[in-house]
Amino acid sequence: MDACKEEAKLDALQKRDELSKQFFELCSQPIDCGTVPSDWDKSFEEIGAATAPIAKALEKLLEITAPESSELRDLDTRLDEVDADIKLHQQVVQLKSYSSDCVGSFKSGDYSNATTKCVLFSKLFRSSTQESEDQRAKVVQMVGPQAVALQEKTKASLVELLLKDYNAGIKAANLQEICRVVPLLGDLDLATEAVGLYLKFVKKVLVDALNEATQSSDDSTSTKIAQTFNAAATVLRHHLPMVSQALGAAEGDRGLLQLVHLEVERRVLKLIQDMVGDLEDLKTVATIVPNLEDDLASWGRGEESSNEQALDLEEVDKACEECACLIQYIQGYDTFVKHCCSEVERASALRLRSRSGEEEDGEDKPSPPILPKTELEEAAIELGAILSGGEQALLLASIQLVLVSPATFEPYDENPRAQCSNYIEEIFYAAQKSAMRAIASGHEMSTCVVLNTCSNSLSMVMRETLKGKRTSKATQLLAGSRDVATAALENVADVASNINNLRRGGRGGEAEDDKAREKERKLTEAGAAFNDYTQAVQYFGRMQEVLMEEIENGGEEKIDAEGQLASSVKLFAVARAQLEEEDPLFELAAELGARVKSIVDRVGETEECNYEIDEQGYERFESTGGWLGAIMEEVERVVGGAVAWVGANSGVRIWSRVLDELMKRTEILIRKKRLSEFGCLQLDAEVRRMGTWARGLNGNGNGNGGDLGGTDRLKQIAKLVNALDFEDVRIMSSEPGWRLKKSEIRGYLQLRVDAIPNAEQLVKTLKI
């Protein structure tokens, strides 16, 4: 009977579904929009007539199947209740298992397993009884009131025992026991109590470690501060990971970090305050910087210093070293603490996300355990200001000490006569020492100040101080001074001859020998002044490279091209460019060029300087070298003797400018002469000798072996005046590299006594 009823119900449901499907198909048929409005009404009537039987059938089926649908819903509800009862019975069975295991482990002394089972029992009991009080009572009844009471009693006993062991471990400073108990307390929701007790224990450990680190009275203040930081870092490395893992939920890691940092900050600030008295001397030293600058300026002008400062450089250097070490230690500790802060914040954010089950939201990030700017950072800024002032005074005083000391000389380059003084190397060494010490401190602000001080001081000394004379030693130190150039030019002839006599073992009077040595010493010092400037330019570039390399190798991040530190280092390049603009070699070359002009003019005014010669005159000039040979000999004696005391590269630059002036003056003089046939030949021979002479200057240590003088124009002039006819002129003027203009060609052809016929008219036809 029930089976037949069930089968009829299923058939009715299936038929209802088929009728519903047909009904919806008819209702969803599209209406023909092309019909007129009267046809629309007819279409609706047809649809209504077709669906009316189906609608009636559905209503009848609903009446038939209504009781069965209600029964199905009741069955579903009953099934859900049965599933809930089954789940509840499973939870009760699991709770009984957890309770039994917890009691058994506690009695056997396995507190770790007892804690685990106790935590599992608590979590499952809360989840199964959170619906209502009736549900809780039902669960307690099913588990058994005695079992639940025993579980609570076991948990209380377990907590009491663990707290007792925890306190005993703290009193005995038994870190192994503490590390065993702390995770268990955290699992038993006792993290807050455990954090308080653990921080008391850590504070005792920290205080003992800090007292032990600073107990020695022989250590300096900076050493004590370094040992304090090391002790604090050791405590954090040892305790912070475990506390963050076991007590992080109660913010034990934040509390531990704050405890250690505040204690360290208090002690270090007190040590720094006690050290301020020692740094007062460094502050006082910084006040004499203006006086030191005045002294250097007066010394550069050859005046006596009006301010005498007795400055113990060794003590100042020691104080700067102490101050830089303090800044370095503070920066190192600050970096370590900030790293710990970031890790604690990250752990807190992860715990927050795990509790909320949502993605991390930037607005809900926990606050940092320590303020971004601490009192230690402010102390580092104050120490940086003291360090920068002390370094500036130390650098200027060191420069002053170097300059007032007797100079020593050493070979500058491959030129055996070129010497350089010890001034530049020692001055830049002092500046590099200050800059490297500031970089090692790791404090960007003070490092920038020290770098700016070094670049400005070096620029002042190189551009201003060394332009004066040292009156006490009568030494020429200004590399571009006209006095140096004049002295070199006036003394070079006598000195060269006397030195050669001495080196050949010639016997001169003792007074003459002393005079030659004194003049050689003066020329050595004068040449060294030029070489010092060249060396200073090189040292500025080298200084920039060394500092950049030190910053990059010091663990710093990639330097920002527009950052403060990079800008401070670039100041050395600026100082180098300014020094190059004031190159003293230009003044020396200008003075020597003026001497060359006077030599050419003086030789050109003599009667022998004549190119209207016959064959006998040509033979006579061939034996003597001609008037250009006399000019070359005189120029090499004057210019070569002076340039011999400077570096090879400097000599090349001087010779290039001097020989340019020589060629220009020679052209001017040729235009004033008349040329015979033999005179043209003589001019060509002399110009060829001049080209060979210019290329051979390196043989005298005065050049680089190249054609420094640029004798191309003179060679073309000599070739032009020796042309046999105008066709030769046309051919040579069409050659590549021809440098003479039509007006110049016409002028030089007119210098010939036997000029080419119609040359002036024919020159106009040339295509140059």
Side-chain angles (χ1 to χ4, degrees):
M1 186 69 174
D2 292 336
C4 293
K5 186 178 180 181
E6 186 69 24
E7 184 177 355
K9 182 175 69 174
L10 292 175
D11 291 340
L13 292 174
Q14 185 176 2
K15 188 175 182 180
R16 183 187 64 179
D17 293 339
E18 292 177 357
L19 292 173
S20 298
K21 184 177 180 182
Q22 294 177 12
F23 177 76
F24 287 116
E25 287 178 353
L26 289 173
C27 292
S28 60
Q29 286 182 0
I31 300 174
D32 187 4
C33 296
T35 59
V36 296
S38 60
D39 294 335
W40 291 2
D41 296 335
K42 184 178 180 181
S43 298
F44 280 117
E45 292 176 358
E46 292 176 355
I47 293 173
T51 57
I54 299 175
K56 290 180 180 181
L58 288 175
E59 291 177 359
K60 186 175 181 180
L61 286 173
L62 288 175
E63 293 177 359
I64 297 173
T65 59
E68 286 76 6
S69 299
S70 177
E71 185 178 350
L72 288 174
R73 287 194 294 270
D74 293 339
L75 289 174
D76 292 338
T77 303
R78 180 58 182 165
L79 181 61
D80 293 339
E81 292 176 355
V82 172
D83 291 340
D85 289 340
I86 294 173
K87 182 179 179 181
L88 181 60
H89 280 81
Q90 291 176 347
Q91 291 177 345
V92 168
V93 172
Q94 192 68 47
L95 287 172
K96 289 182 178 181
S97 176
Y98 288 155
S99 177
S100 177
D101 292 344
C102 177
V103 174
S105 299
F106 178 75
K107 290 180 179 180
S108 64
D110 188 359
Y111 301 131
S112 176
N113 187 55
T115 302
T116 302
K117 298 302 181 182
C118 183
V119 171
L120 292 175
F121 180 90
S122 299
K123 289 181 178 179
L124 184 57
F125 188 79
R126 283 195 300 268
S127 65
S128 61
T129 60
Q130 63 184 359
E131 293 182 2
S132 63
E133 289 295 330
D134 295 339
Q135 180 74 6
R136 175 182 174 84
K138 183 178 180 180
V139 172
V140 171
Q141 187 65 31
M142 294 177 68
V143 174
Q146 295 180 352
V148 173
L150 181 60
Q151 171 64 28
E152 292 178 354
K153 183 179 178 180
T154 303
K155 179 180 179 180
S157 301
L158 180 62
V159 169
E160 182 180 358
L161 182 61
L162 290 176
L163 288 175
K164 182 179 178 180
D165 292 345
Y166 186 69
N167 286 321
I170 289 178
K171 291 179 180 180
N174 188 347
L175 190 60
Q176 184 177 1
E177 181 68 12
I178 294 173
C179 293
R180 182 186 69 83
V181 177
V182 164
L184 303 181
L185 293 176
D187 292 338
L188 292 173
D189 298 331
L190 295 173
T192 303
E193 292 82 352
V195 166
L197 295 173
Y198 194 82
L199 291 182
K200 291 180 180 179
F201 163 70
V202 171
K203 184 172 183 180
K204 181 178 181 302
V205 173
L206 177 65
V207 170
D208 293 342
L210 296 180
N211 290 337
E212 183 181 357
T214 58
Q215 66 181 359
S216 177
S217 59
D218 297 334
D219 294 335
S220 63
T221 303
S222 61
T223 302
K224 291 181 179 179
I225 291 176
Q227 292 173 348
T228 299
F229 288 147
N230 291 336
T234 301
V235 170
L236 285 175
R237 287 195 184 101
H238 196 73
H239 295 272
L240 188 58
M242 188 270 293
V243 172
S244 180
Q245 176 68 27
L247 303 176
E251 297 188 346
D253 47 2
R254 298 167 69 89
L256 175 62
L257 185 58
Q258 291 170 354
L259 170 68
V260 174
H261 176 70
L262 291 176
E263 181 66 22
V264 169
E265 190 175 58
R266 182 182 65 81
R267 288 173 175 260
V268 170
L269 289 177
K270 186 176 183 304
L271 289 172
I272 293 176
Q273 187 176 5
D274 295 339
M275 187 185 175
V276 169
D278 299 335
L279 297 178
E280 286 295 333
D281 295 338
L282 203 57
K283 292 181 180 180
T284 304
V285 166
T287 61
I288 68 173
V289 168
N291 296 337
L292 290 172
E293 292 177 346
D294 293 340
D295 290 347
L296 289 174
S298 300
W299 183 89
R301 294 191 298 268
E303 302 172 359
E304 293 294 334
S305 174
S306 58
N307 300 313
E308 295 184 2
Q309 297 291 343
L311 190 62
D312 191 340
L313 297 184
E314 185 175 354
E315 290 297 324
V316 175
D317 183 72
K318 183 178 178 181
C320 288
E321 189 72 26
E322 186 87 357
C323 190
C325 286
L326 282 178
I327 298 175
Q328 183 179 10
Y329 298 152
I330 293 174
Q331 288 298 114
Y333 172 76
D334 183 69
T335 302
F336 172 73
V337 167
K338 287 182 177 179
H339 172 70
C340 292
C341 284
S342 64
E343 292 299 313
V344 169
E345 290 178 28
R346 191 162 66 92
S348 299
L350 290 175
R351 287 192 294 267
L352 182 62
R353 287 169 54 188
S354 64
R355 287 197 298 266
S356 61
E358 299 176 355
E359 293 296 328
E360 182 179 1
D361 189 357
E363 298 180 356
D364 296 334
K365 286 185 179 180
S367 60
I370 299 175
L371 294 177
K373 189 172 184 180
T374 63
E375 293 185 22
L376 282 177
E377 289 188 74
E378 295 178 357
I381 294 174
E382 183 179 355
L383 290 172
I386 297 175
L387 175 64
S388 60
E391 291 287 5
Q392 185 178 12
L394 178 63
L395 176 59
L396 294 176
S398 300
I399 293 173
Q400 187 183 49
L401 180 63
V402 170
L403 295 178
V404 299
S405 302
T408 58
F409 299 94
E410 59 183 14
Y412 175 68
D413 58 11
E414 63 271 15
N415 185 356
R417 288 187 177 183
Q419 302 284 312
C420 63
S421 69
N422 63 318
Y423 290 152
I424 302 302
E425 184 173 359
E426 293 187 10
I427 288 172
F428 273 89
Y429 172 76
Q432 181 173 324
K433 182 179 179 181
S434 296
M436 298 285 271
R437 181 158 52 197
I439 292 173
S441 70
H443 194 262
E444 183 176 2
M445 185 180 299
S446 59
T447 300
C448 290
V449 174
V450 173
L451 292 179
N452 295 345
T453 297
C454 290
S455 59
N456 293 336
S457 299
L458 289 176
S459 180
M460 178 195 71
V461 172
M462 299 303 157
R463 296 175 58 203
E464 298 178 10
T465 303
L466 290 183
K467 284 185 178 180
K469 303 176 184 179
R470 293 183 59 189
T471 55
S472 59
K473 300 294 183 179
T475 305
Q476 305 284 357
L477 290 181
L478 175 59
S481 168
R482 298 179 68 85
D483 295 334
V484 175
T486 303
L489 292 171
E490 291 175 351
N491 297 327
V492 64
D494 295 336
V495 171
S497 60
N498 290 331
I499 291 173
N500 290 331
N501 288 333
L502 289 173
R503 290 174 178 170
R504 288 195 302 267
R507 296 295 180 180
E510 184 177 351
E512 293 181 358
D513 293 347
D514 293 341
K515 183 179 179 181
R517 293 190 186 94
E518 178 64 18
K519 289 184 177 180
E520 183 178 16
R521 183 187 65 81
K522 289 183 178 181
L523 287 175
T524 300
E525 292 176 348
F530 289 99
N531 298 330
D532 286 348
Y533 265 89
T534 306
Q535 190 179 41
V537 172
Q538 298 172 355
Y539 271 46
F540 269 117
R542 193 180 306 171
M543 187 90 161
Q544 182 183 7
E545 295 176 359
V546 169
L547 295 181
M548 280 298 236
E549 183 178 358
E550 180 67 17
I551 292 172
E552 292 174 353
N553 295 337
E556 299 288 341
E557 296 180 357
K558 187 176 180 180
I559 299 178
D560 183 5
E562 303 299 332
Q564 288 185 347
L565 204 57
S567 299
S568 298
V569 175
K570 288 180 181 178
L571 289 178
F572 289 92
V574 175
R576 175 181 180 177
Q578 292 174 346
L579 194 63
E580 289 177 335
E581 291 177 358
E582 301 178 1
D583 191 350
L585 293 176
F586 286 113
E587 296 185 26
L588 179 60
E591 180 67 24
L592 294 174
R595 291 299 182 92
V596 168
K597 177 179 178 298
S598 63
I599 291 173
V600 175
D601 293 342
R602 186 178 67 251
V603 174
E605 293 174 356
T606 60
E607 295 181 358
E608 290 80 4
C609 184
N610 182 13
Y611 285 100
E612 289 188 65
I613 57 176
D614 52 13
E615 185 176 357
Q616 293 179 351
Y618 174 75
E619 293 176 353
R620 184 175 66 254
F621 275 117
E622 276 290 311
S623 60
T624 60
W627 69 274
L628 284 184
I631 290 177
M632 288 185 287
E633 182 179 354
E634 185 72 10
V635 168
E636 185 171 358
R637 185 175 67 87
V638 174
V639 180
V643 173
W645 306 95
V646 299
N649 291 332
S650 300
V652 170
R653 294 167 60 190
I654 294 174
W655 268 115
S656 296
R657 183 164 180 175
V658 168
L659 291 181
D660 285 342
E661 183 66 22
L662 174 61
M663 301 309 157
K664 293 176 183 177
R665 302 308 304 180
T666 302
E667 279 193 47
I668 294 174
L669 194 56
I670 290 175
R671 294 193 191 105
K672 300 178 181 180
K673 304 298 179 180
R674 296 286 294 174
L675 303 173
S676 63
E677 180 180 357
F678 286 99
C680 292
L681 295 175
Q682 177 61 27
L683 177 62
D684 182 68
E686 291 180 358
V687 169
R688 292 178 184 275
R689 287 196 205 99
M690 179 173 284
T692 303
W693 169 73
R695 288 191 299 272
L697 288 175
N698 191 45
N700 297 328
N702 299 319
N704 65 353
D707 189 358
L708 301 178
T711 57
D712 292 342
R713 285 180 58 86
L714 288 180
K715 291 178 180 178
Q716 291 177 4
I717 293 171
K719 188 176 181 181
L720 177 64
V721 297
N722 280 281
L724 298 178
D725 53 31
F726 194 77
E727 186 61 28
D728 291 343
V729 176
R730 190 184 304 277
I731 293 173
M732 67 179 64
S733 63
S734 62
E735 294 175 353
W738 186 259
R739 302 177 61 182
L740 299 180
K741 301 177 182 178
K742 291 183 179 182
S743 58
E744 294 174 329
I745 294 175
R746 181 170 57 252
Y748 285 119
L749 290 178
Q750 290 176 352
L751 296 179
R752 290 181 51 166
V753 176
D754 52 343
I756 298 175
N758 300 323
E760 185 173 354
Q761 297 297 326
L762 293 173
V763 168
K764 296 180 181 180
T765 64
L766 294 177
K767 295 182 180 180
I768 300 177

